[in-house]
């Protein structure tokens, strides 16, 4: 390694002195944050909240202080079907119900993963990844499918949020401390020569404690409930004694099996028109693993637009932490922040570079409910978020096509829009490493 020399520092300082606006920027940064100084208000001019394809949807939801966006986005897709069938003005499915069972199943998945790697050295990269990742709120579409197919679903009124489901930080912290201790105990049992049967029995005791803890946090999951709803014409109807699985079978049915997760991952290790899965990424042991079809961006968008033209909204995952503002227009657009002019740094990276060098990856799931098309080209996209209704568009956002191209990674569409990829979809997926950026969770 070459150390920094005093002569180098002198040269660098001279370069700073020659920079004409350096002092002005320094003075401004005394009082302003870098994003505030980099904000380009004029870039929002002419970017309006109008869409040539605009699907009417219910009011925005609020995930509050939790990382359940993927569950909110998924239930926001499903609730539209139920609300339309029952002529409802407002309706939500229980995200807490899905989160409870996801947490419980994820803890089992974690412990089973620890046991599957129990003979590895403590510094083995895969084992370290599992231990450090723990169990979080985040997830992906296929994990949502696993939970609802196993446990069903029910209206939010029948299993509402409380302080723990809406603010998960302390609960998750305690649970992950316990899971790390469980990992240590199970590995120490193995090192001491315990049988596989004894290790499995100990894991079962651990899972029982986790179940009791989750029930104390979320509340006991109901076995049956009454579905009461009021239609737009004022009629009140009650369906008595439903189980969550009966509700799911009646109002969701088997449609989830017809939806496919597509991604746009333009890195060299993921050729297009092939399917991929991620090692050790899941929530329900024995459930379906994640599976993606990688498509070029133009074909990725084509499938999404075709579904929306047919009146159906689209679950999608993106990096919401890049180039977004919530005060004026609720807009994501790279043009509204000029960081490089403030910092003097050259920060632009291609989408592939961003994935390969940990600049960007999917971290938030929302719902696409509209798109503006001019001369057969998409220009902006309407988004239903789950951050409440406090934004300028009452909880709805939008993004430019440039932002969409750079920071949208995943979407879920009906397989009928992917007929030309039938052979690829039926192929065995390539297995990505657990830490691959396509395996990040939406929170």
């Amino acid at each position: 390694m070459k150390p920094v020399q005093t002569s180098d520092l002198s040269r660098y300082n001279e370069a700073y002195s020659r920079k004409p606006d350096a002092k002005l920027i320094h003075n401004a940064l005394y009082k302003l944050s870098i994003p505030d100084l980099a904000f380009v208000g004029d870039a929002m001019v002419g970017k309006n909240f109008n869409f040539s394809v605009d699907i009417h949807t219910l009011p925005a939801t609020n995930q509050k202080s939790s990382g359940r966006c993927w569950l909110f986005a998924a239930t926001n897709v499903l609730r539209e079907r139920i609300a339309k069938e029952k002529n409802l003005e407002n309706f939500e499915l229980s995200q807490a119900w899905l989160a409870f069972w996801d947490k419980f199943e994820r803890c089992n998945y974690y412990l089973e993963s620890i046991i599957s790697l129990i003979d590895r050295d403590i510094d083995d990269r895969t084992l370290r990844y599992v231990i450090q990742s723990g169990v979080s709120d985040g997830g992906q579409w296929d994990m949502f499918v696993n939970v609802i197919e196993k446990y069903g679903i029910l209206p939010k009124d029948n299993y509402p949020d409380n302080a723990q489901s809406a603010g998960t930080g302390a609960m998750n912290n305690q649970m992950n401390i316990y899971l790390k201790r469980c990992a240590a105990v199970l590995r120490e049992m193995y090192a001491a020569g315990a049988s596989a049967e004894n290790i499995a029995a100990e894991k079962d005791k651990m899972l029982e404690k986790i179940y009791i803890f989750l029930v104390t946090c979320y509340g006991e999951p109901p076995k049956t409930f009454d579905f009461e709803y009021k239609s737009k014409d004022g009629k009140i109807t009650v369906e008595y004694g439903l189980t969550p699985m009966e509700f799911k079978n009646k109002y969701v049915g088997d449609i989830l099996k017809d939806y496919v997760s597509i991604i746009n991952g333009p890195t060299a290790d993921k050729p297009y028109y092939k399917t991929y899965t991620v090692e050790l990424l899941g929530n329900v042991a024995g459930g379906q693993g994640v599976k993606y079809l990688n498509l070029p961006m133009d074909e990725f968008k084509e499938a999404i637009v075709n579904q929306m033209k047919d009146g159906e909204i689209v679950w999608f995952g993106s990096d919401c932490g890049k180039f977004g503002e919530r005060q004026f227009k609720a807009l994501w657009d790279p043009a509204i922040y000029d960081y490089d002019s403030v910092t003097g740094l050259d920060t632009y990276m291609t989408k592939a570079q961003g994935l390969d060098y940990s600049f960007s990856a999917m971290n938030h799931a929302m719902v696409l409910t509209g798109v503006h098309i001019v001369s057969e080209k998409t220009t902006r996209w309407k988004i239903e978020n789950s951050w409440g209704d406090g934004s300028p568009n009452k909880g709805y956002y939008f993004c430019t096509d440039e932002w969409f191209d750079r920071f949208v990674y995943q979407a879920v569409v009906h397989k009928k829009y992917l007929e030309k990829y039938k052979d690829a979809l039926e192929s065995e997926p390539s297995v990505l490493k657990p830490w691959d950026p396509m395996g990040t969770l939406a929170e």
Side-chain angles (χ1 to χ4, degrees), residues 165-180:
S165 62
T168 56
M171 174 181 63
N172 288 348
N173 183 53
Q174 292 301 309
M175 186 172 59
N176 278 298
I177 292 171
Y178 180 65
L179 287 173
K180 291 177 189 297

Side-chain angles (χ1 to χ4, degrees), residues 259-272:
Y259 286 82
V260 175
S261 182
I262 56 176
I263 60 171
N264 175 246
T267 50
D269 63 331
K270 299 180 188 69
Y272 290 131

Side-chain angles (χ1 to χ4, degrees), residues 263-278 294 351-353 355-357 429-439:
I263 60 171
N264 175 246
T267 50
D269 63 331
K270 299 180 188 69
Y272 290 131
Y273 311 113
K274 294 184 179 298
T275 56
Y276 300 89
T277 188
V278 180
N294 194 18
K351 193 172 190 177
Q353 289 171 332
L355 288 166
D356 282 339
Y357 293 92
S430 299
V431 181
L432 304 173
K433 296 292 187 183
W435 45 85
D436 189 276
M438 283 302 157

Side-chain angles (χ1 to χ4, degrees), residues 49 57-60 330 369 382-384 391 393-398:
F49 196 70
T57 45
L58 296 174
T369 66
K382 182 183 176 186
I383 298 167
E384 178 184 1
S391 72
N393 305 308
K394 296 184 178 180
Y396 281 75
Y397 292 66
F398 68 118

Side-chain angles (χ1 to χ4, degrees), residues 262-264 272-273 293-306 404 413 417-418 420-421:
I262 56 176
I263 60 171
N264 175 246
Y272 290 131
Y273 311 113
L293 172 65
N294 194 18
L295 295 177
M297 181 51 79
D298 58 340
E299 297 177 51
F300 178 88
K301 290 196 285 192
E302 179 185 31
I304 294 170
V305 169
N306 286 339
F404 190 103
V413 297
Y417 303 106
L418 303 170
K420 59 185 173 182
Y421 312 112

Side-chain angles (χ1 to χ4, degrees), residues 109-328:
Y109 197 97
Y110 175 93
L111 295 174
E112 287 294 325
S113 297
I114 292 295
I115 291 172
S116 72
L117 302 168
I118 205 161
D119 60 344
R120 304 280 186 97
D121 291 338
I122 192 64
D123 61 353
D124 175 83
R125 184 175 182 183
T126 301
L127 175 61
R128 295 305 309 171
Y129 181 84
V130 171
I131 292 172
Q132 291 168 3
S133 297
V135 171
S136 70
D137 290 346
Q140 293 200 7
W141 173 264
D142 290 301
M143 298 162 76
F144 159 73
V145 174
N146 280 337
V147 175
I148 196 171
E149 292 290 354
K150 185 169 182 179
Y151 294 101
I153 187 66
L154 70 170
K156 189 166 190 169
D157 289 342
N158 298 102
Y159 198 68
D161 271 346
N162 63 20
Q164 302 311 310
S165 62
T168 56
M171 174 181 63
N172 288 348
N173 183 53
Q174 292 301 309
M175 186 172 59
N176 278 298
I177 292 171
Y178 180 65
L179 287 173
K180 291 177 189 297
R181 178 187 179 277
C182 291
V185 169
L186 293 174
R187 286 177 55 81
E188 288 167 3
M189 287 179 65
Y190 174 81
S195 67
E197 291 77 11
N198 286 341
I199 290 173
E202 185 64 27
K203 188 219 83 170
D204 187 63
K205 294 178 184 177
M206 295 169 173
L207 202 59
E208 180 180 290
K209 285 188 175 183
I210 290 168
Y211 179 85
I212 294 170
F213 171 66
L214 289 174
V215 171
T216 62
C217 290
Y218 285 89
E220 188 172 357
K223 293 181 173 60
T224 62
F225 64 94
D226 299 333
F227 177 31
E228 180 178 319
Y229 55 91
K230 184 177 181 180
S231 62
K232 291 178 183 177
D233 58 11
K235 181 181 178 182
I236 298 174
T237 304
V238 183
E239 298 179 29
Y240 294 99
L242 293 172
T243 68
M245 190 57 70
E246 287 171 343
F247 185 87
K248 178 263 177 189
N249 290 338
K250 182 174 182 178
Y251 290 106
V252 179
D254 296 326
I255 61 171
L256 297 178
K257 64 180 175 55
D258 293 328
Y259 286 82
V260 175
S261 182
I262 56 176
I263 60 171
N264 175 246
T267 50
D269 63 331
K270 299 180 188 69
Y272 290 131
Y273 311 113
K274 294 184 179 298
T275 56
Y276 300 89
T277 188
V278 180
E279 181 185 0
L280 294 174
L281 177 60
N283 56 349
V284 177
Q288 71 180 45
V290 298
K291 186 176 181 180
Y292 319 118
L293 172 65
N294 194 18
L295 295 177
M297 181 51 79
D298 58 340
E299 297 177 51
F300 178 88
K301 290 196 285 192
E302 179 185 31
I304 294 170
V305 169
N306 286 339
Q307 180 161 309
M308 287 200 292
K309 282 182 175 179
D310 286 342
E312 186 174 352
I313 58 180
V314 177
W315 186 102
F316 81 108
S318 66
D319 181 356
C320 73
K322 304 295 187 294
F323 303 103
E325 72 82 24
R326 299 167 67 172
Q327 181 180 356
F328 301 105

Side-chain angles (χ1 to χ4, degrees), residues 297-412:
M297 181 51 79
D298 58 340
E299 297 177 51
F300 178 88
K301 290 196 285 192
E302 179 185 31
I304 294 170
V305 169
N306 286 339
Q307 180 161 309
M308 287 200 292
K309 282 182 175 179
D310 286 342
E312 186 174 352
I313 58 180
V314 177
W315 186 102
F316 81 108
S318 66
D319 181 356
C320 73
K322 304 295 187 294
F323 303 103
E325 72 82 24
R326 299 167 67 172
Q327 181 180 356
F328 301 105
K329 289 205 169 188
L331 170 66
W332 280 285
D333 179 8
I336 62 176
Y337 289 96
D338 184 6
Y339 288 108
D340 290 3
S341 292
V342 172
T343 64
L345 307 173
D346 303 319
T347 59
Y348 177 82
M349 279 187 275
T350 65
K351 193 172 190 177
Q353 289 171 332
L355 288 166
D356 282 339
Y357 293 92
S358 301
F359 164 65
S360 179
M362 181 187 77
N363 56 29
H364 189 55
M366 298 177 284
V367 180
L368 293 166
T369 66
V371 60
H372 193 58
I373 302 172
V374 178
S375 301
E376 299 185 353
K377 293 191 67 174
T378 55
T379 61
R380 57 181 178 262
W381 303 76
K382 182 183 176 186
I383 298 167
E384 178 184 1
N385 205 346
S386 55
W387 292 345
D389 59 4
S391 72
N393 305 308
K394 296 184 178 180
Y396 281 75
Y397 292 66
F398 68 118
C399 71
T400 61
D401 208 49
E402 181 188 358
W403 187 89
F404 190 103
D405 288 347
R406 289 180 60 186
F407 299 111
V408 170
Y409 294 99
Q410 185 177 0
V412 175

